[in-house]
Amino acid sequence: MTQQNLWQFISEQHEKLLTQVTQHLGLTFLSLLLAIVVGLPLGILIARKRKLASPVLGFAGILQTIPSIALLGFMIPAFGIGATPAIIALLIYALLPIIRNTYTGITEVNPTVIEAAKAMGMNRQQMLFKVKLPLAMPVIIAGIRTAAVINVGVATLASFVAAGGLGEFIFGGISLNNTNMILAGAIPAALLAIALDQTIALFQKAGYHFLKKLKYGITAIILISAAIYLINSTSETTLKAGFTPEFMGRQDGDLGLRSVYHLNFNPLVVSDAVMYKAAYEKELDLISGYSTDGRIKAFDLAVLKDDKTIFPPYFAAPIIKTKTLQKFPKLQKTLNLLSGKFSDSLMTDLNYKSDYLKQTPEKIARDFLIKHNLYKTPRKGNSAMIRIGSKIFGEQYILAEMYKMLIEGYTDYQVETKTGLGGTKICFDALMNDAIDFYPEYTGTGLLVLLKPSESDLKNVTQSPKKTYDYVNSEFKKQYGIEWLQPLGFNNAYALMMRRTQAEELKIKSISDLKHYLDAQ
């Protein structure tokens, strides 16, 4: 199978890329306009009332230090998902440079100039608009330039809350081990930041009076871009769907729904961290998910039957380099202690404790090992260090903690966990580069994301879980020198889900039922 290059990918995905660029510009422009509307008067206020400067700048600085993912998370309970929380978060990030530069620009105007203005009989308002702001404008625009560049970068995270933008390609590519997809999002984002910075620089050189003449035109451009963004963000189906970036680019995902079930959604792209709750709160009607996720139980969701089997087996097992097993001879036997100890329902219950009951992964792991007579007091060994990796969702944190406790209890090896490594690409690259020694992976992910077999091989090896496991284990040994240890026993496959009450009301039990319902609308 010929490897697709970047330009072929861009050519194939040019319509989606154009939509994402438009959404990205809309998010950036609208949030920047609002930040100017809020930040400029605040900067003027604290320049006039100096006692307020320290608390206002301090508060804006604190807001700037909040991690962007956390800030988006704080927005969701108040504003839901979509453009609103993303724009508010971007506005907050843009405030500090605008407020600070406005304050600095005004307060550093030469006092002799101000005295001359007073001598000419100007009042405070005249001095502000005719003297202080014109002289401070280069510094103020420098702050706007900084805010604009910051917002272009932070706007890539908007895809986590279904606000669109170039983050869809970037995070989808990270999850799918697809460098072309990452570059298709990252390169335009970098070019947009440069173009926006240089465009604002031209306005900076043009001068205050020229900007006054252009202000209505600039505002119109920003508002038109925002309107186009909102139009492009609307869903075309009667059911509002939300899929993860990874699901969007997979054959056992949106591509399979289109080719096998002929379901042509225009879904929102949303992080799995928020999509379950969004479905529960009726902001989304249909979501992609994981069949053992505890939030299915927590939010009373119904998993639709995959009656045409586009989702292959996703049995979990640790993957590790052969040379690592040779280096640590006690490791394989210790890791295989968990082999066959799980079922789908058991893993769902463990995830429920993490996702909904908010128990820590350490507690869940210890309770499980104690119940199955596998827990041993850590030996506190001083032998070599084993580094365990995990992806960034609850199930992986739990498994990483179980393996840590087993290794510490059954061997003299020391253990370091490197959890929350993001998607498949980051974990696998870390394993290949010896940054970690092993991590839990899924046979379906190994098959489709990392091996990418031909269609004929795919049909053959997905006929049973054992065939899938044997194939990925054999190919990983050949291609990467990596072995799959014994499976844990549960199958965490992709799935489509709806609110149970809605599915029952619409009489939708399978994905084919969903197709029939949409065709009838």
Side-chain angles (χ1 to χ4, degrees), residues 316-321 324-325 328-342 368-369 374 386-389 399-408 410-411 413 415 437-440 483-488:
I319 62 172
I320 187 168
K321 285 185 176 180
T324 305
L325 291 174
F328 303 106
K330 298 179 183 177
L331 190 56
Q332 183 166 358
K333 182 179 179 181
T334 303
L335 299 183
N336 281 337
L337 289 170
L338 290 182
S339 172
K341 293 292 190 295
F342 298 84
F368 175 88
L369 294 179
L374 291 172
I386 305 288
R387 297 155 303 172
I388 307 172
L399 294 176
E401 284 300 324
M402 287 185 185
Y403 285 126
K404 179 178 185 290
M405 292 176 187
L406 287 175
I407 294 169
E408 289 179 337
Y410 286 79
T411 76
Y413 303 136
V415 181
D437 294 306
F438 74 91
Y439 75 96
E483 296 186 30
W484 290 67
L485 301 188
Q486 294 176 19
L488 302 179

Side-chain angles (χ1 to χ4, degrees), residues 459-473:
K459 287 181 181 178
N460 180 48
V461 303
T462 55
Q463 291 176 3
S464 73
K466 186 177 186 306
K467 277 194 171 186
T468 305
Y469 173 82
D470 290 342
Y471 179 82
V472 295
N473 192 25

Side-chain angles (χ1 to χ4, degrees), residues 74 127 218 228 492:
F74 293 148
M127 277 196 291
I218 294 169
I228 294 172
N492 187 8

Side-chain angles (χ1 to χ4, degrees), residues 375-389:
Y375 184 79
K376 285 188 178 182
T377 304
R379 295 185 183 182
K380 297 182 180 179
N382 55 7
S383 189
M385 180 73 73
I386 305 288
R387 297 155 303 172
I388 307 172

Side-chain angles (χ1 to χ4, degrees), residues 219-262:
T219 302
I221 291 170
I222 292 173
L223 292 177
I224 289 169
S225 298
I228 294 172
Y229 163 78
L230 292 172
I231 291 169
N232 283 332
S233 298
T234 56
S235 177
E236 296 172 357
T237 60
T238 54
L239 295 178
K240 196 172 184 180
F243 298 157
T244 64
E246 183 174 4
F247 190 84
M248 288 296 296
R250 297 178 69 126
Q251 189 56 46
D252 63 329
D254 186 58
L255 299 180
L257 291 176
R258 293 174 186 274
S259 62
V260 177
Y261 286 99
H262 306 293

